[in-house]
mmCIF file of all heavy atoms in Angstrom:
data_model
loop_
_atom_site.group_PDB
_atom_site.id
_atom_site.type_symbol
_atom_site.label_atom_id
_atom_site.label_comp_id
_atom_site.label_asym_id
_atom_site.label_seq_id
_atom_site.Cartn_x
_atom_site.Cartn_y
_atom_site.Cartn_z
ATOM 1 N N MET A 1 76.945 68.207 80.081
ATOM 2 C CA MET A 1 76.408 69.427 80.257
ATOM 3 C C MET A 1 74.982 69.412 80.944
ATOM 4 O O MET A 1 74.241 68.593 80.537
ATOM 5 C CB MET A 1 76.160 70.133 78.876
ATOM 6 C CG MET A 1 75.709 71.574 78.855
ATOM 7 S SD MET A 1 75.313 72.249 77.266
ATOM 8 C CE MET A 1 76.899 72.443 76.732
ATOM 9 N N LYS A 2 74.906 70.090 81.889
ATOM 10 C CA LYS A 2 73.628 70.217 82.772
ATOM 11 C C LYS A 2 72.545 71.021 82.062
ATOM 12 O O LYS A 2 72.898 72.051 81.398
ATOM 13 C CB LYS A 2 73.829 70.778 84.193
ATOM 14 C CG LYS A 2 74.890 70.064 84.951
ATOM 15 C CD LYS A 2 74.954 70.719 86.233
ATOM 16 C CE LYS A 2 76.104 70.176 87.055
ATOM 17 N NZ LYS A 2 77.312 71.002 86.936
ATOM 18 N N VAL A 3 71.278 70.465 82.130
ATOM 19 C CA VAL A 3 70.213 71.332 81.504
ATOM 20 C C VAL A 3 69.415 71.774 82.723
ATOM 21 O O VAL A 3 68.984 70.941 83.529
ATOM 22 C CB VAL A 3 69.319 70.403 80.629
ATOM 23 C CG1 VAL A 3 68.107 71.219 80.120
ATOM 24 C CG2 VAL A 3 70.213 69.934 79.430
ATOM 25 N N ARG A 4 69.371 73.086 82.822
ATOM 26 C CA ARG A 4 68.825 73.719 84.077
ATOM 27 C C ARG A 4 67.622 74.579 83.737
ATOM 28 O O ARG A 4 67.563 75.199 82.724
ATOM 29 C CB ARG A 4 69.829 74.592 84.823
ATOM 30 C CG ARG A 4 71.086 73.659 85.288
ATOM 31 C CD ARG A 4 70.681 72.845 86.458
ATOM 32 N NE ARG A 4 70.253 73.717 87.552
ATOM 33 C CZ ARG A 4 70.776 73.612 88.793
ATOM 34 N NH1 ARG A 4 71.927 73.013 88.955
ATOM 35 N NH2 ARG A 4 70.375 74.488 89.755
ATOM 36 N N SER A 5 66.658 74.790 84.748
ATOM 37 C CA SER A 5 65.608 75.624 84.541
ATOM 38 C C SER A 5 65.976 77.099 84.904
ATOM 39 O O SER A 5 65.511 78.031 84.345
ATOM 40 C CB SER A 5 64.425 75.153 85.301
ATOM 41 O OG SER A 5 64.784 75.097 86.866
ATOM 42 N N SER A 6 66.875 77.265 85.857
ATOM 43 C CA SER A 6 67.438 78.518 86.173
ATOM 44 C C SER A 6 68.977 78.528 86.209
ATOM 45 O O SER A 6 69.574 77.786 86.893
ATOM 46 C CB SER A 6 66.898 78.930 87.516
ATOM 47 O OG SER A 6 67.415 80.241 87.886
ATOM 48 N N LEU A 7 69.667 79.460 85.329
ATOM 49 C CA LEU A 7 70.995 79.550 85.269
ATOM 50 C C LEU A 7 71.628 80.513 86.115
ATOM 51 O O LEU A 7 72.868 80.573 86.356
ATOM 52 C CB LEU A 7 71.467 79.708 83.794
ATOM 53 C CG LEU A 7 71.136 78.562 82.882
ATOM 54 C CD1 LEU A 7 71.700 78.982 81.559
ATOM 55 C CD2 LEU A 7 71.747 77.347 83.433
ATOM 56 N N LYS A 8 70.765 81.577 86.679
ATOM 57 C CA LYS A 8 71.339 82.558 87.499
ATOM 58 C C LYS A 8 71.897 82.001 88.807
ATOM 59 O O LYS A 8 73.008 82.546 89.184
ATOM 60 C CB LYS A 8 70.211 83.544 87.894
ATOM 61 C CG LYS A 8 70.026 84.597 86.815
ATOM 62 C CD LYS A 8 69.464 85.823 87.326
ATOM 63 C CE LYS A 8 69.735 87.001 86.303
ATOM 64 N NZ LYS A 8 68.598 87.407 85.698
ATOM 65 N N SER A 9 71.404 81.004 89.336
ATOM 66 C CA SER A 9 71.962 80.480 90.527
ATOM 67 C C SER A 9 73.159 79.632 90.197
ATOM 68 O O SER A 9 74.183 79.687 91.112
ATOM 69 C CB SER A 9 70.952 79.441 91.312
ATOM 70 O OG SER A 9 70.549 78.426 90.215
ATOM 71 N N LEU A 10 73.273 79.154 89.084
ATOM 72 C CA LEU A 10 74.500 78.288 88.689
ATOM 73 C C LEU A 10 75.668 79.247 88.485
ATOM 74 O O LEU A 10 76.858 78.870 88.676
ATOM 75 C CB LEU A 10 74.222 77.657 87.471
ATOM 76 C CG LEU A 10 74.870 76.263 87.240
ATOM 77 C CD1 LEU A 10 74.390 75.198 88.305
ATOM 78 C CD2 LEU A 10 74.595 75.650 85.865
ATOM 79 N N LYS A 11 75.383 80.456 87.974
ATOM 80 C CA LYS A 11 76.529 81.384 87.708
ATOM 81 C C LYS A 11 77.261 81.845 89.014
ATOM 82 O O LYS A 11 78.518 82.064 88.887
ATOM 83 C CB LYS A 11 75.817 82.679 87.009
ATOM 84 C CG LYS A 11 76.841 83.688 86.549
ATOM 85 C CD LYS A 11 76.169 84.887 85.838
ATOM 86 C CE LYS A 11 77.144 85.791 85.282
ATOM 87 N NZ LYS A 11 77.806 86.668 86.334
ATOM 88 N N GLY A 12 76.684 81.793 90.056
ATOM 89 C CA GLY A 12 77.357 82.188 91.408
ATOM 90 C C GLY A 12 78.208 81.094 91.992
ATOM 91 O O GLY A 12 78.857 81.287 92.897
ATOM 92 N N ARG A 13 78.363 79.952 91.256
ATOM 93 C CA ARG A 13 79.106 78.896 91.884
ATOM 94 C C ARG A 13 80.595 78.991 91.658
ATOM 95 O O ARG A 13 81.439 78.355 92.359
ATOM 96 C CB ARG A 13 78.566 77.574 91.383
ATOM 97 C CG ARG A 13 77.271 77.214 91.846
ATOM 98 C CD ARG A 13 76.740 75.810 91.239
ATOM 99 N NE ARG A 13 77.506 74.729 91.736
ATOM 100 C CZ ARG A 13 77.350 73.498 91.276
ATOM 101 N NH1 ARG A 13 76.512 73.229 90.496
ATOM 102 N NH2 ARG A 13 78.202 72.561 91.635
ATOM 103 N N HIS A 14 81.036 79.715 90.650
ATOM 104 C CA HIS A 14 82.463 79.783 90.189
ATOM 105 C C HIS A 14 82.714 81.176 89.663
ATOM 106 O O HIS A 14 81.897 81.656 88.880
ATOM 107 C CB HIS A 14 82.824 78.747 89.264
ATOM 108 C CG HIS A 14 84.261 78.509 89.088
ATOM 109 N ND1 HIS A 14 85.069 79.271 88.331
ATOM 110 C CD2 HIS A 14 85.063 77.470 89.603
ATOM 111 C CE1 HIS A 14 86.379 78.773 88.364
ATOM 112 N NE2 HIS A 14 86.360 77.790 89.186
ATOM 113 N N ARG A 15 83.834 81.780 89.836
ATOM 114 C CA ARG A 15 84.129 83.030 89.560
ATOM 115 C C ARG A 15 84.304 83.276 88.008
ATOM 116 O O ARG A 15 84.149 84.420 87.589
ATOM 117 C CB ARG A 15 85.234 83.744 90.346
ATOM 118 C CG ARG A 15 86.670 82.916 90.197
ATOM 119 C CD ARG A 15 87.677 83.505 91.101
ATOM 120 N NE ARG A 15 88.767 82.534 91.140
ATOM 121 C CZ ARG A 15 89.698 82.451 90.157
ATOM 122 N NH1 ARG A 15 89.650 83.262 89.152
ATOM 123 N NH2 ARG A 15 90.693 81.540 90.309
ATOM 124 N N ASP A 16 84.590 82.188 87.376
ATOM 125 C CA ASP A 16 84.964 82.263 85.849
ATOM 126 C C ASP A 16 83.724 81.921 85.091
ATOM 127 O O ASP A 16 83.727 81.894 83.864
ATOM 128 C CB ASP A 16 86.099 81.338 85.504
ATOM 129 C CG ASP A 16 87.479 81.962 86.066
ATOM 130 O OD1 ASP A 16 87.465 83.182 86.282
ATOM 131 O OD2 ASP A 16 88.389 81.230 86.188
ATOM 132 N N CYS A 17 82.666 81.703 85.699
ATOM 133 C CA CYS A 17 81.408 81.375 84.873
ATOM 134 C C CYS A 17 80.836 82.603 84.175
ATOM 135 O O CYS A 17 80.802 83.534 84.654
ATOM 136 C CB CYS A 17 80.272 80.797 85.895
ATOM 137 S SG CYS A 17 80.542 79.170 86.353
ATOM 138 N N LYS A 18 80.610 82.361 82.826
ATOM 139 C CA LYS A 18 80.002 83.462 82.063
ATOM 140 C C LYS A 18 78.640 82.996 81.407
ATOM 141 O O LYS A 18 78.514 81.868 81.029
ATOM 142 C CB LYS A 18 81.015 83.781 80.815
ATOM 143 C CG LYS A 18 82.245 84.513 81.352
ATOM 144 C CD LYS A 18 83.130 84.941 80.192
ATOM 145 C CE LYS A 18 84.314 85.671 80.643
ATOM 146 N NZ LYS A 18 85.267 84.777 81.373
ATOM 147 N N LEU A 19 77.754 83.950 81.443
ATOM 148 C CA LEU A 19 76.457 83.613 80.893
ATOM 149 C C LEU A 19 76.417 84.114 79.485
ATOM 150 O O LEU A 19 76.566 85.331 79.195
ATOM 151 C CB LEU A 19 75.468 84.305 81.695
ATOM 152 C CG LEU A 19 73.948 83.735 81.757
ATOM 153 C CD1 LEU A 19 73.498 83.783 83.251
ATOM 154 C CD2 LEU A 19 72.975 84.402 80.913
ATOM 155 N N VAL A 20 76.159 83.192 78.453
ATOM 156 C CA VAL A 20 76.178 83.548 77.165
ATOM 157 C C VAL A 20 74.839 83.142 76.390
ATOM 158 O O VAL A 20 74.296 82.032 76.690
ATOM 159 C CB VAL A 20 77.335 82.824 76.353
ATOM 160 C CG1 VAL A 20 77.353 83.093 74.861
ATOM 161 C CG2 VAL A 20 78.682 83.203 77.021
ATOM 162 N N ARG A 21 74.368 84.004 75.484
ATOM 163 C CA ARG A 21 73.141 83.660 74.800
ATOM 164 C C ARG A 21 73.456 83.528 73.219
ATOM 165 O O ARG A 21 73.945 84.402 72.694
ATOM 166 C CB ARG A 21 72.090 84.831 75.048
ATOM 167 C CG ARG A 21 70.799 84.393 74.423
ATOM 168 C CD ARG A 21 69.766 85.341 75.027
ATOM 169 N NE ARG A 21 68.431 84.868 74.601
ATOM 170 C CZ ARG A 21 67.291 85.501 74.988
ATOM 171 N NH1 ARG A 21 67.351 86.565 75.698
ATOM 172 N NH2 ARG A 21 66.106 85.028 74.606
ATOM 173 N N ARG A 22 73.175 82.305 72.763
ATOM 174 C CA ARG A 22 73.365 81.964 71.430
ATOM 175 C C ARG A 22 72.140 81.345 70.818
ATOM 176 O O ARG A 22 71.644 80.359 71.300
ATOM 177 C CB ARG A 22 74.412 80.927 71.154
ATOM 178 C CG ARG A 22 75.828 81.390 71.616
ATOM 179 C CD ARG A 22 76.825 80.327 71.455
ATOM 180 N NE ARG A 22 78.234 80.819 72.070
ATOM 181 C CZ ARG A 22 79.080 79.923 72.592
ATOM 182 N NH1 ARG A 22 78.804 78.712 72.798
ATOM 183 N NH2 ARG A 22 80.122 80.482 73.167
ATOM 184 N N LYS A 23 71.572 82.073 69.745
ATOM 185 C CA LYS A 23 70.325 81.600 69.068
ATOM 186 C C LYS A 23 69.289 81.273 69.973
ATOM 187 O O LYS A 23 68.483 80.228 69.860
ATOM 188 C CB LYS A 23 70.654 80.328 68.328
ATOM 189 C CG LYS A 23 71.649 80.650 67.083
ATOM 190 C CD LYS A 23 72.063 79.381 66.439
ATOM 191 C CE LYS A 23 73.120 79.684 65.364
ATOM 192 N NZ LYS A 23 73.691 78.444 64.749
ATOM 193 N N GLY A 24 69.019 82.138 70.955
ATOM 194 C CA GLY A 24 67.878 82.028 71.972
ATOM 195 C C GLY A 24 68.053 80.873 73.132
ATOM 196 O O GLY A 24 67.315 80.669 73.877
ATOM 197 N N ILE A 25 69.263 80.299 73.103
ATOM 198 C CA ILE A 25 69.666 79.308 74.076
ATOM 199 C C ILE A 25 70.571 79.903 75.030
ATOM 200 O O ILE A 25 71.712 80.489 74.577
ATOM 201 C CB ILE A 25 70.145 78.002 73.513
ATOM 202 C CG1 ILE A 25 69.062 77.322 72.575
ATOM 203 C CG2 ILE A 25 70.496 76.986 74.612
ATOM 204 C CD1 ILE A 25 69.580 76.180 71.786
ATOM 205 N N VAL A 26 70.479 79.781 76.338
ATOM 206 C CA VAL A 26 71.321 80.433 77.383
ATOM 207 C C VAL A 26 72.299 79.363 77.689
ATOM 208 O O VAL A 26 71.824 78.279 78.237
ATOM 209 C CB VAL A 26 70.544 80.998 78.470
ATOM 210 C CG1 VAL A 26 71.464 81.672 79.360
ATOM 211 C CG2 VAL A 26 69.391 81.949 78.039
ATOM 212 N N TYR A 27 73.581 79.693 77.777
ATOM 213 C CA TYR A 27 74.647 78.772 78.147
ATOM 214 C C TYR A 27 75.471 79.417 79.335
ATOM 215 O O TYR A 27 75.697 80.570 79.407
ATOM 216 C CB TYR A 27 75.643 78.521 77.032
ATOM 217 C CG TYR A 27 75.052 77.781 75.882
ATOM 218 C CD1 TYR A 27 74.566 78.581 74.799
ATOM 219 C CD2 TYR A 27 75.035 76.428 75.782
ATOM 220 C CE1 TYR A 27 74.098 77.868 73.634
ATOM 221 C CE2 TYR A 27 74.477 75.749 74.771
ATOM 222 C CZ TYR A 27 74.026 76.435 73.645
ATOM 223 O OH TYR A 27 73.493 75.866 72.576
ATOM 224 N N ILE A 28 75.909 78.519 80.158
ATOM 225 C CA ILE A 28 77.007 78.896 81.153
ATOM 226 C C ILE A 28 78.182 78.227 80.598
ATOM 227 O O ILE A 28 78.375 77.002 80.383
ATOM 228 C CB ILE A 28 76.659 78.256 82.553
ATOM 229 C CG1 ILE A 28 75.554 78.960 83.179
ATOM 230 C CG2 ILE A 28 77.903 78.457 83.502
ATOM 231 C CD1 ILE A 28 75.736 80.322 83.796
ATOM 232 N N ILE A 29 79.272 79.076 80.322
ATOM 233 C CA ILE A 29 80.557 78.451 79.901
ATOM 234 C C ILE A 29 81.610 78.912 80.993
ATOM 235 O O ILE A 29 81.625 79.905 81.592
ATOM 236 C CB ILE A 29 80.978 78.996 78.537
ATOM 237 C CG1 ILE A 29 80.945 80.551 78.477
ATOM 238 C CG2 ILE A 29 80.098 78.430 77.438
ATOM 239 C CD1 ILE A 29 81.551 81.030 77.262
ATOM 240 N N ASN A 30 82.697 77.999 81.097
ATOM 241 C CA ASN A 30 83.722 78.139 82.058
ATOM 242 C C ASN A 30 84.923 77.483 81.557
ATOM 243 O O ASN A 30 85.028 76.269 81.401
ATOM 244 C CB ASN A 30 83.244 77.519 83.444
ATOM 245 C CG ASN A 30 84.201 78.040 84.476
ATOM 246 O OD1 ASN A 30 85.427 78.311 84.212
ATOM 247 N ND2 ASN A 30 83.730 77.957 85.745
ATOM 248 N N LYS A 31 85.890 78.360 81.035
ATOM 249 C CA LYS A 31 87.056 77.789 80.328
ATOM 250 C C LYS A 31 87.963 77.069 81.382
ATOM 251 O O LYS A 31 88.502 76.072 81.156
ATOM 252 C CB LYS A 31 87.785 78.932 79.734
ATOM 253 C CG LYS A 31 87.234 79.467 78.626
ATOM 254 C CD LYS A 31 87.766 78.812 77.257
ATOM 255 C CE LYS A 31 87.009 79.128 76.051
ATOM 256 N NZ LYS A 31 86.867 80.477 75.688
ATOM 257 N N THR A 32 87.973 77.599 82.611
ATOM 258 C CA THR A 32 88.944 76.964 83.604
ATOM 259 C C THR A 32 88.420 75.759 84.264
ATOM 260 O O THR A 32 89.177 74.768 84.740
ATOM 261 C CB THR A 32 89.367 78.037 84.732
ATOM 262 O OG1 THR A 32 88.136 78.410 85.394
ATOM 263 C CG2 THR A 32 90.086 79.189 84.214
ATOM 264 N N ASP A 33 87.119 75.671 84.447
ATOM 265 C CA ASP A 33 86.575 74.435 85.072
ATOM 266 C C ASP A 33 85.271 74.019 84.218
ATOM 267 O O ASP A 33 84.174 74.382 84.520
ATOM 268 C CB ASP A 33 86.076 74.755 86.458
ATOM 269 C CG ASP A 33 86.149 73.560 87.280
ATOM 270 O OD1 ASP A 33 86.083 72.535 86.833
ATOM 271 O OD2 ASP A 33 86.007 73.718 88.557
ATOM 272 N N PRO A 34 85.495 73.160 83.245
ATOM 273 C CA PRO A 34 84.389 72.846 82.281
ATOM 274 C C PRO A 34 83.265 72.069 82.880
ATOM 275 O O PRO A 34 82.211 71.910 82.198
ATOM 276 C CB PRO A 34 85.183 71.927 81.211
ATOM 277 C CG PRO A 34 86.569 72.210 81.347
ATOM 278 C CD PRO A 34 86.867 72.618 82.757
ATOM 279 N N ARG A 35 83.440 71.565 84.073
ATOM 280 C CA ARG A 35 82.271 70.747 84.688
ATOM 281 C C ARG A 35 81.126 71.711 85.045
ATOM 282 O O ARG A 35 80.012 71.135 85.414
ATOM 283 C CB ARG A 35 82.708 69.942 85.890
ATOM 284 C CG ARG A 35 83.071 70.830 87.102
ATOM 285 C CD ARG A 35 83.813 70.081 88.096
ATOM 286 N NE ARG A 35 84.320 70.961 89.147
ATOM 287 C CZ ARG A 35 83.935 70.836 90.419
ATOM 288 N NH1 ARG A 35 83.126 69.872 90.786
ATOM 289 N NH2 ARG A 35 84.440 71.688 91.233
ATOM 290 N N PHE A 36 81.239 72.987 84.915
ATOM 291 C CA PHE A 36 80.185 74.008 85.328
ATOM 292 C C PHE A 36 79.363 74.277 83.991
ATOM 293 O O PHE A 36 78.443 75.080 84.138
ATOM 294 C CB PHE A 36 80.706 75.225 85.883
ATOM 295 C CG PHE A 36 81.186 75.006 87.326
ATOM 296 C CD1 PHE A 36 82.516 75.022 87.716
ATOM 297 C CD2 PHE A 36 80.237 74.854 88.367
ATOM 298 C CE1 PHE A 36 82.873 74.938 88.932
ATOM 299 C CE2 PHE A 36 80.688 74.623 89.703
ATOM 300 C CZ PHE A 36 81.988 74.673 89.912
ATOM 301 N N LYS A 37 79.639 73.706 82.805
ATOM 302 C CA LYS A 37 78.779 73.985 81.698
ATOM 303 C C LYS A 37 77.453 73.639 81.788
ATOM 304 O O LYS A 37 77.068 72.525 82.379
ATOM 305 C CB LYS A 37 79.424 73.145 80.413
ATOM 306 C CG LYS A 37 80.678 73.644 79.866
ATOM 307 C CD LYS A 37 80.858 73.100 78.509
ATOM 308 C CE LYS A 37 81.124 71.628 78.549
ATOM 309 N NZ LYS A 37 81.706 71.103 77.185
ATOM 310 N N ALA A 38 76.542 74.560 81.436
ATOM 311 C CA ALA A 38 75.062 74.284 81.524
ATOM 312 C C ALA A 38 74.392 74.979 80.378
ATOM 313 O O ALA A 38 74.905 75.964 79.738
ATOM 314 C CB ALA A 38 74.638 74.739 82.936
ATOM 315 N N LYS A 39 73.163 74.514 80.097
ATOM 316 C CA LYS A 39 72.357 75.187 78.989
ATOM 317 C C LYS A 39 70.880 75.284 79.419
ATOM 318 O O LYS A 39 70.372 74.402 80.275
ATOM 319 C CB LYS A 39 72.549 74.550 77.623
ATOM 320 C CG LYS A 39 71.671 73.379 77.354
ATOM 321 C CD LYS A 39 72.016 73.014 75.917
ATOM 322 C CE LYS A 39 71.050 71.939 75.586
ATOM 323 N NZ LYS A 39 71.118 71.568 74.102
ATOM 324 N N GLN A 40 70.207 76.200 78.806
ATOM 325 C CA GLN A 40 68.830 76.434 79.180
ATOM 326 C C GLN A 40 68.056 76.922 77.884
ATOM 327 O O GLN A 40 68.628 77.746 77.124
ATOM 328 C CB GLN A 40 68.610 77.438 80.246
ATOM 329 C CG GLN A 40 67.217 77.946 80.490
ATOM 330 C CD GLN A 40 67.146 79.089 81.448
ATOM 331 O OE1 GLN A 40 68.017 79.877 81.506
ATOM 332 N NE2 GLN A 40 66.086 79.251 82.163
ATOM 333 N N GLY A 41 66.909 76.249 77.525
ATOM 334 C CA GLY A 41 66.079 76.794 76.413
ATOM 335 C C GLY A 41 66.231 75.907 75.235
ATOM 336 O O GLY A 41 67.036 74.996 75.138
#
């Protein structure tokens, strides 16, 4: 999982990327292509 300072730019890389916030930590999740997983915070 990548740890990024900005996830907005990462969201535009794949059409199935979803931005999810859990317990104050922001995640990018992608069911079809798991290599795009990322977290911030």
Side-chain angles (χ1 to χ4, degrees):
M1 183 184 289
K2 299 183 192 94
V3 179
R4 296 288 297 243
S5 56
S6 174
L7 292 181
K8 277 212 160 106
S9 57
L10 213 66
K11 188 176 182 286
R13 289 179 65 186
H14 195 277
R15 56 188 169 79
D16 288 337
C17 282
K18 291 184 177 66
L19 210 138
V20 178
R21 188 165 189 181
R22 294 179 189 146
K23 296 177 183 169
I25 300 173
V26 187
Y27 295 94
I28 291 277
I29 54 171
N30 193 335
K31 289 264 166 64
T32 55
D33 204 346
R35 71 196 171 117
F36 286 108
K37 282 197 298 190
K39 82 176 193 180
Q40 170 188 26

